Amino acid sequence: MLTASAPLGAVGLAVAFSSLVLIISGSNPIEAYRDMLGHAGKLEVQVDILNRVTPLYLSGIAASIGFRVNLFNIGVEGQYILAFLVAAHVGSLLTLPPVLHVTLILLVAMTVGAALSGLAGVLKVIRGVHEVISTIMLNAIAISGLVAWLVVEWQADGGTRRTGGRVGTEPIADSGLLPDLNGFLEMFTRDLGQGRQLESMLLIAVAVGVIYHFLVNRTVFGFDLRAAGVNPTAAHVGGVPPKRTIVTAMLISGGVAGLVGMPELMSTGYFPSNPVLNLGFTGIAVALLGRNHTVGMFFGALIFAFLDKSSSILQITSSATREIVVIMQGLIVLAVVVAYQVVAQIRKRQEAAMAMLNQLT
């Protein structure tokens, strides 16, 4: 109950603070929340929310792997964008049987993400460079440097600057794209309208979550990972190799980060000039809100996806400005820090009380 109270308290504080901001701005919080919930009750919007949950959940898992060993992988943003671009380009060059084609694209994305993240891990164990500094700088190199250059080199229309054609990679053949889940969904609901498609990457994200849970909680490596995160010195004395653990954790984190852009790739078939951004940074908040737990991070991703996709109705109803959603997302992160600190203090007092009681008995 104490563990669950932290994320629940964080959401409660965020709602309370957001309501206060709405009142100050002259809006009615009850009307704003009612409009958002009513909009989210539509099937098409629910599909949009689930489609946004997929990359946010993968991003949260990528960040949480680093958190498990006290590593702060800020580079998920750059890792998934670079992996998105390279996987899109490689996938467009080949035509293979569907299963092999999709598998190759996913493996390329994971390899690129793991290589960029692993570089930060190597810098940490060899040169002592803090992973926050290295991943932030690698973000800049990947996004502002490599991606910008490669997009120009691999753009779909060689005469883009002259003709105003589309900037991006060549489209991937149908054999390299995953089918949607509309047929399965419509067995239990009505037909989807407005061209909505429930992406199959949702199933892959769920599988990644199951593998993550098993790896962290049911394997020797997972035990070493958690031990190194709780007490690196004791773990080292107990035989856990710290350098190898750090590099391995960063490689796995980057590999999962490489999948974050795959939902967009599998739905569009190419890397656009304006891919969805900030999924990596939001994933950090998802991991914090979900306490690095598989199920908790899914609900954290669901909350952020709900805020993102239900905010458009506020502009239509004029019950509040759309920017209030950005404020709510920031307040959730702030409330998470406050709530977890309060719970940590309560836990320390309980442990101290139990220790004193044991001494007296």
Side-chain angles (χ1 to χ4, degrees), residues 267-285:
S267 63
T268 62
Y270 63 92
F271 182 89
S273 60
N274 56 340
V276 178
L277 301 176
N278 297 322
L279 296 175
F281 299 122
T282 307
I284 297 173

Side-chain angles (χ1 to χ4, degrees), residues 83-84 86-112 172 175-178 204 258-259 262 265-266:
F84 183 2
V86 176
H89 178 65
V90 173
S92 68
L93 298 176
L94 303 171
T95 301
L96 300 171
V99 176
L100 293 178
H101 202 171
V102 172
T103 302
L104 175 66
I105 292 173
L106 297 180
L107 289 177
V108 168
M110 294 178 67
T111 301
V112 173
I172 298 174
S175 60
L177 303 179
L178 288 170
I204 295 180
L259 295 175
M262 293 302 97
L265 177 60
M266 291 298 165

Side-chain angles (χ1 to χ4, degrees), residues 64 174 189 225 292:
S64 67
D174 291 341
T189 61
L225 201 69
N292 300 322

